[in-house]
Amino acid sequence: MSVPADQKMLSGKTVVVTGAGRGIGRAIALAAARAGATVVLASRTAEQLDAVVREVASLGGGALAVTADVRSRADVERLVSRAVEETGRIDAVVNNAGVFVWKPLEKLSEEEWDRVLETNLKATYLLVHAALPELKKNRGRILNVSSVHGTAGDANVVAHCAAKFGLVGLTKALALELRPHGISVNALCPGSTDNR
């Protein structure tokens, strides 16, 4: 579906989307491209990113794929550097990358706990921290993809709930802290979603 030029509200803007190879991240990236943004796509899976780049191109949009593990400060800083070097700016970041482990607490390993918290929560801190100079300069936007599990606990997903509740708290705190810089910060809390 094409969007008339006068409705491309994100024309000239750059939007960074993590977890952009499939599911919610892919859908957000395509919506941003339809609205005229150049999208910077981040994921650990190059093949998925390449497919989304082709979809963006089919819409007439511009996309840059950066393979990155958002749990790694070095990877996130490289992502931000490439976005600025190749598009000239960052106007918005969408923190969508996430993992989900469905296990009772007694069977949840420390490694699984760490992986969920690092991917779903720490990665948001890393990207916002790295992109903040650009976001301040451009009075940018931050969208954090939390979950219904960020508003209500559930059995057998304790790490997921802890991370997503934390993400909602981080969003609220950042919204207050960054408001003087003209930066808006919001959280999206979807339920079950087809992640293909």
Side-chain angles (χ1 to χ4, degrees):
M1 179 177 86
S2 63
V3 177
D6 62 351
Q7 293 181 25
K8 295 199 172 187
M9 302 183 329
L10 298 179
S11 183
K13 308 289 187 184
T14 296
V15 178
V16 177
V17 184
T18 67
R22 62 191 180 103
I24 293 170
R26 172 184 163 271
I28 290 172
L30 293 175
R34 285 187 192 98
T38 298
V39 288
V40 179
L41 313 167
S43 172
R44 290 178 297 167
T45 310
E47 295 79 14
Q48 290 179 340
L49 290 179
D50 291 342
V52 180
V53 167
R54 289 192 295 274
E55 288 185 272
V56 170
S58 75
L59 298 170
L64 167 67
V66 181
T67 305
D69 183 342
V70 293
R71 298 172 298 172
S72 160
R73 179 182 294 276
D75 276 17
V76 170
E77 290 177 350
R78 179 173 52 82
L79 167 64
V80 168
S81 292
R82 285 205 54 203
V84 174
E85 285 168 10
E86 300 198 28
T87 74
R89 58 191 298 129
I90 295 175
D91 298 279
V93 295
V94 179
N95 292 290
N96 170 71
V99 295
F100 186 88
V101 176
W102 186 279
K103 278 186 181 178
L105 176 64
E106 63 185 351
K107 294 184 178 177
L108 186 71
S109 70
E110 183 177 354
E111 291 75 19
E112 288 169 324
W113 172 272
D114 288 345
R115 180 165 56 92
V116 172
L117 269 289
E118 288 174 2
T119 307
N120 294 350
L121 183 57
K122 180 182 176 184
T124 296
Y125 153 75
L126 290 174
L127 181 54
V128 171
H129 191 268
L132 197 52
E134 282 292 309
L135 294 171
K136 283 183 175 180
K137 186 193 314 179
N138 299 316
R139 298 176 66 85
R141 304 290 180 257
I142 299 168
L143 176 63
N144 299 325
V145 180
S146 181
S147 164
V148 293
H149 288 135
T151 62
D154 201 358
N156 301 312
V157 286
V158 294
H160 186 72
C161 288
K164 295 302 189 176
F165 265 85
L167 193 53
V168 169
L170 176 61
T171 300
K172 291 179 177 182
L174 284 175
L176 294 173
E177 184 172 325
L178 300 179
R179 183 169 54 192
H181 301 284
I183 299 172
S184 71
V185 189
N186 292 282
L188 179 66
C189 296
S192 295
T193 305
D194 184 346
N195 272 336
R196 288 177 283 173

